[in-house]
């Protein structure tokens, strides 16, 4: 007979009472921080680099126009929301419709942000700018990435 008996030790159970609170806190955090994209770019646009850049302040008064080549295509296209523009009159109608849907304060501050591929011919950009002038959209912004000054 053995004098010492072996006791089987049990591992205590994991307390999961606070787990739902933790999951909902993380879910709430990601819902607040995540930015949902309204428009999916259908054209490739590698924006040029610049040194004197400013960030636009009020996002509600910005109208985005993408210009570039669609994936797998060689012709440069203009994208308005989630569709391509067929002609410059469509660009004019789009900007006029966007302006009319804004509040009076946003109309005064409306800026058209052109996200143009760096290899896009300047003639297309010039045509878009002429169309914007016809509808009175004089504030134009070009999207760019910051270039470091020491690599000029």
């Amino acid at each position: 007979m053995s004098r010492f008996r072996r006791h089987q030790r049990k591992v205590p159970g994991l307390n999961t009472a606070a787990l739902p609170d933790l999951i909902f806190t993380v879910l709430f955090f990601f819902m607040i921080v995540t930015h949902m994209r309204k428009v999916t770019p259908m054209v490739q646009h590698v924006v040029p680099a610049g040194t004197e850049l400013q960030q636009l302040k009020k996002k509600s008064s910005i109208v985005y126009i993408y210009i570039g080549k669609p994936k797998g295509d060689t012709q440069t296209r203009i994208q308005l929301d989630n569709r391509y523009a067929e002609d410059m009159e469509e660009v004019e109608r789009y900007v006029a419709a966007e302006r009319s849907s804004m509040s009076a304060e946003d109309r005064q501050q409306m800026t058209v942000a052109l996200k143009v591929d760096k290899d896009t011919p300047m003639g297309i950009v010039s045509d878009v700018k002429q169309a914007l002038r016809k509808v009175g959209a004089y504030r134009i912004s070009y999207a760019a990435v910051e270039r470091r000054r020491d690599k000029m």
Side-chain angles (χ1 to χ4, degrees):
M1 273 186 121
S2 138
R3 225 176 138 173
F4 299 104
R5 292 186 189 167
R6 289 194 174 169
H7 295 284
Q8 290 189 357
R9 295 185 179 143
K10 294 183 179 179
V11 177
L14 183 63
N15 186 4
T16 59
L19 194 60
D21 293 335
L22 179 67
I23 289 172
F24 284 119
T25 304
V26 170
L27 178 66
F28 183 71
F29 171 77
F30 284 116
M31 286 173 52
I32 296 296
V33 175
T34 303
H35 171 70
M36 299 303 284
R37 184 179 285 186
K38 292 180 183 177
V39 177
T40 304
M42 298 184 298
V43 296
Q44 297 176 2
H45 64 284
V46 178
V47 294
T51 56
E52 301 297 324
L53 304 179
Q54 294 179 353
Q55 189 161 358
L56 297 173
K57 302 281 188 246
K58 195 168 184 182
K59 300 285 184 180
S60 64
S61 62
I62 300 174
V63 177
Y64 293 98
I65 297 177
Y66 297 89
I67 304 174
K69 294 179 183 172
K71 295 165 180 62
D73 197 357
T74 58
Q75 181 183 3
T76 301
R77 304 289 303 264
I78 300 169
Q79 179 185 343
L80 311 170
D81 277 343
N82 287 322
R83 60 185 168 76
Y84 294 121
E86 299 301 323
D87 53 8
M88 290 304 144
E89 287 80 22
E90 194 170 346
V91 174
E92 294 172 19
R93 286 191 303 268
Y94 171 74
V95 173
E98 287 291 317
R99 173 179 276 156
S100 65
S101 69
M102 292 180 181
S103 67
E105 180 184 325
D106 286 344
R107 276 187 212 136
Q108 303 245 336
Q109 301 296 322
M110 185 181 90
T111 303
V112 177
L114 297 177
K115 292 193 173 189
V116 183
D117 186 54
K118 66 180 182 177
D119 295 327
T120 299
M122 195 60 193
I124 295 172
V125 177
S126 179
D127 292 343
V128 171
K129 287 174 59 176
Q130 291 295 330
L132 294 175
R133 283 186 192 139
K134 287 181 184 176
V135 293
Y138 299 116
R139 287 182 183 217
I140 299 174
S141 169
Y142 296 97
V145 293
E146 181 117 26
R147 177 175 48 188
R148 293 179 42 191
R149 290 180 186 253
D150 59 345
K151 290 191 173 186
M152 287 183 162

